[in-house]
Amino acid sequence: METSIALLRLSALAQANRLSVFRLLVKAGKSGLAAGEIARQLEIAPNTLSAQLTVLANAGLVDSRRDGRSIIYTAAFEQMGELIVYLVEDCCQGDAGICAPLVDATDRIACSTPSKGACS
């Protein structure tokens, strides 16, 4: 990933409403949420939400699709993963203990995902 793309994505997340929108969409998973539902859950005015979604979309962090009269937004999970990898790809300088909390967190996420089954 180019540094300029990472900066664009990080700057898109560096605002409270946009970060809340993105986190809500991550929680919603691949099914996503309609714009109106996002506005209701986060108590954001529709015009403000529209501007926030545009910034996130321009950064490649959200995708949208039309479903009847609604627009459904989803987190762009692949791009989110690329950003996370970019942030930690040179981590640790060989000291795996430094990155252990990150590895533990990703294991917990995988274990808590219903489709992944129970963890040992």
Side-chain angles (χ1 to χ4, degrees):
M1 170 183 292
E2 293 180 28
T3 300
S4 60
I5 293 171
L7 289 171
L8 177 66
R9 291 179 180 166
L10 289 169
S11 66
L13 295 171
Q15 196 274 344
N17 281 341
R18 289 193 298 266
L19 183 57
S20 295
V21 169
F22 185 73
R23 289 181 52 117
L24 181 64
L25 291 174
V26 168
K27 288 177 189 176
K30 292 182 179 182
S31 59
L33 291 170
E37 183 60 25
I38 296 168
R40 278 188 291 283
Q41 286 192 35
L42 297 178
E43 299 178 353
I44 299 174
N47 59 336
T48 301
L49 177 62
S50 178
Q52 306 301 5
L53 287 166
T54 297
V55 171
L56 291 167
N58 288 341
L61 291 170
V62 299
D63 296 316
S64 63
R65 68 181 186 280
R66 183 164 290 283
D67 183 12
R69 292 177 39 190
S70 298
I71 298 177
I72 307 298
Y73 290 90
T74 57
F77 290 99
E78 184 176 333
Q79 289 78 355
M80 178 182 74
E82 289 172 0
L83 179 59
I84 292 168
V85 168
Y86 175 82
L87 292 172
V88 299
E89 67 186 344
D90 296 322
C91 179
C92 311
Q93 295 182 350
D95 184 351
I98 295 172
C99 291
L102 179 62
V103 172
D104 291 344
T106 57
D107 285 346
R108 281 192 310 275
I109 291 167
C111 292
S112 67
T113 305
S115 64
K116 301 283 185 186
C119 294
S120 54

